[in-house]
Amino acid sequence: MLRPSLLARRFAPALCAAALCLSAHASGEGPVTMQVQLTALPADGLATLDLTLRDEATGQPVELPARKLAAWLQKPLPTLAEGELACRDKVRMLASPGLGRRAALDFNIHRLLAVNTDNTLTFINPFLRLNQAKLEDIVTLPGTPSAVLQRPALHEVWLALPEVDQIVVVDTDARRVRRSYTLTKGARPVALAQAGGAVWVAQAGRDEWLRIASAQSDPEPIAAPRVQGWLQPDRSGEPLGLGVNGIVRANGQVAPSGRVLHAAWSPLAERAIASLADGGLAWLDAQGLVQQRLTTRGPVQRIALFDEGRHALAATDREVMVIDVATAGVLQTIPIDSSVTDIAFSGSFAYLHSAPASRAVLLSLADLRSGQAKPVQVAVGSDPRDATPSLSAGSGAQRLQRLPDGAGMYVASPHDGQIYQYTEGMMAPIGSFSNYRRSPLALLLLDDGLQSLGQGRYRATLRAPRGGSYELVVSGVQPRFAECVALDVPVIGTQNQSAVASAAAQVRARLVQVQPDGDAWLVRAALSIGEGERTRPLPGVHDLQLLAFERRSGWQSRQAMRAAGDGIYEARIRQAPASAGIDLLVGSASQDLPFHAGALGTRVLGATP
C-alpha cells in the first residue's frame, strides 16, 4: 500500500513569487521518489505541473526516455480506507483500454488540429476508441488562413485571415474562437511571429507592423516597410521582417540583403540561412547582414534545420541539398521528381512531402550527416486530382507533424481528406484518421503531455480543472515505479465562473463530538458552506442523516439528525459493535451532500455504559 506524505507547502521564490504554488512529496511503489509542484500562470486558468524524480537510494535524477513517463490527474475514489487501491492498481486501471475510469486530465494523449481549405478547423483525437469516429469538434472561420502561429504554453492557435483583415485566436481546450482582432481595411495580415512574449503581425497592405503584447492589449502599430514573413533570431525580443529589399528591423532600417523569401535561424551557429528571391542561399547575422552566400540552381522553396541547426536541407524544384550550416558546405545533392511542400524530422529520418504529387521521400539522418543518403519513395494518400493549395514556407504551418515520442510521423493528404500515421522508416502507413472530406492546408499537434527539462525534471502546461481534492498518479518504466500523491487544487483563473460558484456553495461536514449518552452514543456534526474567509455555518437542514457502518460485519445504523445549535446537528447510535472501527458519515439530498463527501472519520465506540 502507498504511504504518501503531503509535506508543508514550499514556496520557491523563482516559481512562486507572483503565483499560487503547491508542492507535495510522495514515496510510493518503486525505487523512485517524486516531488510535485503546481504553479498558476498569468494566463487565465492555466498552470504548470512540475515533477522532479530522483533515485530513492542515491538521490540522483531519474531520466526517462520520451513518452516513458505516464501521468494522470484524477478525482480520488469515494471509498473507505480499507478499500483503497494500491498505487500500481490505479495505474493499471487508468492505463487499461476500454471505457474504464477516466481521469480529469490525461497527460499521455495528444490531439490533431487540421486547418482546412473550406475555412474550418477540425479537432481530431486519435485516442478516442470509437472506430473511425475521432472527431472532437469543428470550428468555422470567417476567412481562409494565410499564416498559423501555435502557442502551446497558452493553449492557443493564432490565424491570420487576409480576406477579412482579421486575426483570430482559437482556444484549443474549449475548441472555439476566444477573441479576434479586426485590422484596418486592406491590411491583409500574411505572417505571424512570437517574440519577447508578444505576437507580431506582418501586413501585406500597409507599411506598418502590429505588435500585440498580451490578451488585454490592443495591437500596437509600428511604422516599418511592409514584409511578407519573419525571421526570429535566438533570444531576440524583436523579430526581423523579410522585406522586398532586404531584412527590415523594428526601427525601420533595411539591411541590404536582397529580397528574402523565407529563412530559418540556427541557434548552434548563431546565424540564419535564408532563401533569396533571385536564387541562392545567404547566411545572415542577428542584424540581417549577409555573411556568406551559396549559389543554387533556382530559388530554394523549403529550408529545414536539424541537429540543433548544425545541418540543413534546402529544396529547389529539382533537387535537395544537404548543407553543413557551420561551413556552408554542400554534403550531398539529391535529385527529386516533384516540388517539396513540407519537411519534418522524426527521431531518425527526414520526411520530404510533396502534396501535389501525393508522395514523400524518406532520408536517414545518419546518412545525411555523412553525405551518403539514399532516398526512399513513399506513397501518401490517393492520386492527385487537381491543384493543391498550400500555405507559404514562412506561414508557420505544414502538413507533417512528428509524433510526441519521435518514432513516427503524421502526414495530412489534401487529395483524400485523410491523415496517415507512419512509423519512422516504414513505407506504408500503420493507420489513418478521417478529416471528414476536408482538404487540409496545415496540420498541428496539440500535445499537453509531460516534457523533459533534464536533470530528472518534467513539466506540463495544463488547463486547471475544477478546484478540489485530486490525486496525481505517475508511472514509469526503466526503472519501473508507481507514485500517487494527493493535491488540493484551488480554483485557478476566472474562465470557469461556475467552478468558483460551485466551490463557494459546496457543503462541508466535520465531526464535532462523540460521547456516551445513556445507553447510546451521541454524535454531533457541523455543516458549513463557503470557501476560505467566506465560510459560514449552515443551519436549517431538515433531511440530514447519520450513517454508522462497520465494514467487517456489515452492521449499519441510519439515524435522522436534529438541530443542536447554529449549524450543529446530533443523533444517537445504539448497540454499536464493541471494539470495532465504526465509519461515521452524514448525507443530505436537499444540500447535494452524498455520504462519501460527508465522511466524518472512523471511531471505536466500544460498549455503551
Side-chain angles (χ1 to χ4, degrees), residues 408-476:
M409 191 71 62
Y410 288 118
V411 183
S413 171
H415 301 292
D416 56 12
Q418 293 285 116
I419 299 172
Y420 295 93
Q421 180 179 347
Y422 290 82
T423 297
E424 64 173 359
M426 298 296 291
M427 298 176 61
I430 63 171
S432 65
F433 310 105
S434 173
N435 197 34
Y436 302 89
R437 299 183 180 179
R438 291 172 165 84
S439 177
L441 280 169
L443 184 66
L444 302 178
L445 183 75
L446 307 178
D447 179 21
D448 302 329
L450 288 163
Q451 308 297 325
S452 176
L453 304 179
Q455 299 296 313
R457 297 179 298 119
Y458 305 85
R459 174 176 294 173
T461 302
L462 57 97
R463 178 74 65 181
R466 175 176 173 174
S469 298
Y470 288 84
E471 183 178 41
L472 179 66
V473 181
V474 180
S475 176

Side-chain angles (χ1 to χ4, degrees), residues 80 511 513-514 520-525 544-561 570-578 580-587 595-596 598-606 608:
L80 299 175
L511 184 64
Q513 187 180 41
V514 177
W521 291 89
L522 182 67
V523 178
R524 286 194 176 98
L544 188 66
Q545 281 197 325
L546 172 67
L547 169 62
F549 178 74
E550 202 278 309
R551 298 166 231 167
R552 294 178 176 83
S553 66
W555 172 89
Q556 65 173 283
S557 174
R558 294 174 184 256
Q559 302 293 331
M561 302 193 77
E570 64 182 21
R572 300 173 78 241
I573 299 176
R574 298 175 182 271
Q575 300 176 345
I582 306 297
D583 290 294
L584 303 174
L585 310 96
V586 295
F595 280 114
H596 71 81
L600 303 178
T602 303
R603 289 295 181 94
V604 177
L605 302 184
T608 53

